[in-house]
């Protein structure tokens, strides 16, 4: 694809490690991963890929791959250990070194402000459920903008607010592990409001900046043809996708979902306007589609997820279905008309085996090919998609799945911290080389 950025993405808690070094504060993922039964095998991000110490080697890998952009996130508790107030200079220094290293290698840094590692001290005050977080997040954003805005010109406020709100506060399967609908609705609203306010902070402090948000989309299809199943699919789409896309693009929370839930977040006058800030781009993350059926007993919505048989699935048990991606990208363009779109994450986990020093991950290569083709077709249909970030550079701490699920282009031997590029890394590199010629 011409005039198209190819990059890789990571996130702080998943790769950095050094969880208790150089003054880093505790995050909700340190707490959650230590709560028995929450993460597979009791894994934590204490060491992860030890990227905090090995970042140079990782940046060299990116350079070898030939990517032109690197999407990473800042660990809030590393730069402000208690979330607000005192700054940790060691943390700032680390990101200074990282950003300089990225630039020295001719790569463009794309910074995500929040990829789920909230300072525990703020969680103790209610976290995303407390409206004051919009001020805490502005303070944190202001610090990053002031310190890094001279060199970083591409900013993303939040990564996947759905996961923070619904998975963290409704299903309780991610940090902070709460299960309460009203808390989840409020958290979703405060996440979006924090995003809107942060956009202003970024624009007022950085010259020639481009700012956006990253939303994950999970298209929903009905299992059958019945009107009830179709309604279930609409509701799933409303709750998982439109709930976050609508407000960001100036629309209200989806009416159908609000009615079916029978509850609403606490919204104050002017909030919806503050959320709907003019954005330079929308970041879209895509992994799989969902199949749903109507189920009157479903909570909080009358929906049940159905496991389709005889379809291709990744090691996460997620269905592989690239056409749904193409269709959803086109739909976003039609419904919301973002100025620019970037696929900020896409990738897959497989049962990678190291055999004779090699990982032959042909399934991952097919997955990339099919999804890049989907992007190309959405572009041809007019969606302004200008880049792609493969998830992920490295195998890493896959949240509740711990280290069992590997998404990397590069294999990590967690015992030795050795990095071994998989066949898919060679494939991605070749794709970029072919493009350059
Ligand atoms: C996304 C997350 C990312 C990674 C991938 C597999 O939801 O943003 O951190 O875990 O899934």
């Amino acid at each position: 694809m011409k005039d198209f950025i190819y990059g890789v993405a990571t996130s702080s808690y998943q790769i950095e490690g050094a969880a208790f070094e150089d003054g880093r504060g505790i995050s909700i993922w340190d707490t959650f991963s230590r709560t028995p039964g929450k993460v597979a095998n009791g894994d934590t991000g204490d060491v992860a890929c030890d990227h905090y110490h090995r970042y140079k080697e990782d940046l060299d890998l990116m350079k070898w791959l030939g990517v032109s952009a690197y999407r990473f996130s800042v660990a809030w508790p590393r730069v402000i250990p208690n979330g607000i107030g005192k700054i940790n200079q060691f943390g700032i220094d680390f990101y200074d070194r990282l950003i300089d290293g990225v630039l020295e290698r001719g790569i463009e840094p794309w910074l995500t402000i929040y990829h789920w590692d909230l300072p525990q001290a703020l969680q103790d005050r209610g976290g995303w459920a407390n409206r004051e977080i919009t001020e805490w997040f502005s303070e944190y954003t202001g610090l990053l903008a002031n310190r890094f805005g001279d060199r970083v010109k591409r900013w993303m406020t939040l990564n996947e607010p759905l996961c923070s709100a619904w998975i963290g506060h409704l299903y309780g399967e991610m940090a902070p592990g709460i299960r309460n609908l009203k808390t989840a609705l409020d958290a979703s609203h405060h996440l979006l409001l924090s995003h809107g306010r942060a956009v202003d902070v970024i624009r007022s402090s950085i010259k020639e900046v481009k700012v956006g948000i990253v939303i994950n989309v999970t298209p929903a299809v009905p299992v059958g043809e019945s009107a009830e199943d179709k309604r279930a699919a609409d509701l799933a789409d409303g709750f998982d996708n439109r709930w976050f896309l609508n407000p960001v693009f100036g629309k209200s929370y989806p009416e159908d979902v609000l009615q079916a839930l029978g509850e609403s977040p606490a919204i104050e006058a002017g909030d919806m306007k503050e959320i709907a800030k003019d954005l330079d781009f929308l970041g879209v993350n895509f992994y799989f589609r969902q199949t749903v059926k109507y189920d009157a007993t479903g909570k909080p919505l009358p929906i049940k997820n159905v496991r389709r048989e005889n379809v291709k699935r990744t090691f996460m048990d997620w269905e592989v279905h690239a056409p749904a991606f193409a269709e959803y990208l086109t739909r976003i363009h039609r419904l919301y008309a973002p100025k620019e779109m970037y696929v900020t994450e896409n990738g897959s986990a497989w049962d990678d085996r190291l055999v004779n020093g090699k990982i032959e991950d042909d399934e991952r290569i097919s997955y990339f090919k099919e999804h890049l083709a989907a992007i190309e077709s959405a572009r041809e249909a007019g969606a302004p998609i200008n880049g792609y970030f493969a998830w992920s550079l490295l195998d890493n701490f896959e949240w509740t799945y711990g280290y069992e699920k590997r998404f990397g282009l590069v294999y990590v031997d967690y015992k030795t911290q050795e990095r071994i590029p998989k066949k898919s890394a060679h494939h991605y590199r070749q794709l970029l080389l072919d493009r350059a010629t």
Side-chain angles (χ1 to χ4, degrees), residues 6 32 107 135 193 199 213 303 325 327 368 373 386 408 429:
Y6 287 90
F32 192 75
I107 300 169
E135 287 154 39
L193 195 56
V199 170
I213 185 172
I303 303 173
F325 183 31
E327 204 231 301
F368 281 134
N386 294 332
R429 179 168 186 262

Side-chain angles (χ1 to χ4, degrees), residues 132-379:
E132 275 180 61
I133 198 160
T134 57
E135 287 154 39
W136 307 334
F137 193 68
S138 290
E139 178 183 326
Y140 165 50
T141 301
L143 172 70
L144 302 190
N146 285 330
R147 300 298 176 99
F148 309 133
D150 55 339
R151 288 155 291 157
V152 179
K153 301 295 177 187
R154 301 288 180 268
W155 291 71
M156 290 147 287
T157 53
L158 303 175
N159 178 70
E160 303 192 353
L162 170 140
C163 296
S164 302
W166 299 167
I167 309 186
H169 294 79
L170 178 61
Y171 311 132
E173 286 161 12
M174 281 189 167
I178 293 168
R179 288 203 171 104
N180 182 291
L181 176 61
K182 180 71 175 113
T183 312
L185 293 172
D186 286 344
S188 74
H189 186 63
H190 299 149
L191 279 153
L192 292 169
L193 195 56
S194 298
H195 150 77
R197 292 185 177 176
V199 170
D200 281 348
V201 174
I202 292 166
R203 282 208 202 290
S204 64
S205 358
I206 310 176
K207 282 194 218 114
E208 286 160 24
V209 70
K210 291 210 176 184
V211 57
I213 185 172
V214 172
I215 293 187
N216 55 319
V217 295
T218 315
V221 287
V223 68
E225 287 300 309
S226 73
E228 281 188 326
D229 285 348
K230 285 186 182 154
R231 178 169 138 76
D234 280 344
L235 284 174
D237 177 61
F239 195 54
D240 290 348
N241 307 320
R242 282 179 287 126
W243 186 274
F244 299 94
L245 288 164
N246 274 15
V248 165
F249 290 100
K251 303 183 185 198
S252 55
Y253 288 110
E255 257 330 300
D256 50 347
V257 178
L258 282 170
Q259 271 194 14
L261 288 173
E263 289 223 50
S264 163
I267 305 172
E268 294 184 11
D271 284 0
M272 299 314 284
K273 197 158 170 257
E274 275 204 277
I275 293 173
K277 288 287 154 56
D278 189 32
L279 295 183
D280 298 298
F281 67 89
L282 172 70
V284 178
N285 290 359
F286 175 86
Y287 288 94
F288 61 98
R289 71 167 184 178
Q290 56 181 325
T291 302
V292 298
K293 72 174 193 177
Y294 182 80
D295 176 2
T297 66
K299 284 232 171 329
L301 292 165
I303 303 173
K304 190 173 159 60
N305 273 87
V306 180
R307 191 175 188 282
R308 259 175 204 271
E309 294 304 326
N310 306 318
V311 296
K312 190 160 189 199
R313 288 176 181 280
T314 70
F315 202 41
M316 296 291 281
D317 208 32
W318 293 345
E319 183 185 357
V320 178
H321 199 281
F325 183 31
E327 204 231 301
Y328 215 88
L329 288 168
T330 317
R331 183 193 304 211
I332 291 175
H333 169 55
R334 194 176 63 238
L335 289 184
Y336 303 105
K339 282 187 204 147
E340 274 196 282
M341 296 160 78
Y342 290 89
V343 173
T344 34
E345 273 181 40
N346 175 244
S348 53
W350 302 95
D351 190 7
D352 295 330
R353 298 289 163 102
L354 185 60
V355 181
N356 299 329
K358 289 191 174 154
I359 299 100
E360 307 262 350
D361 56 339
D362 292 298
E363 290 109 331
R364 186 172 285 105
I365 295 175
S366 308
Y367 186 96
F368 281 134
K369 278 190 186 157
E370 286 164 27
H371 288 76
L372 281 164
I375 292 170
E376 197 155 10
S377 75
R379 257 162 75 97

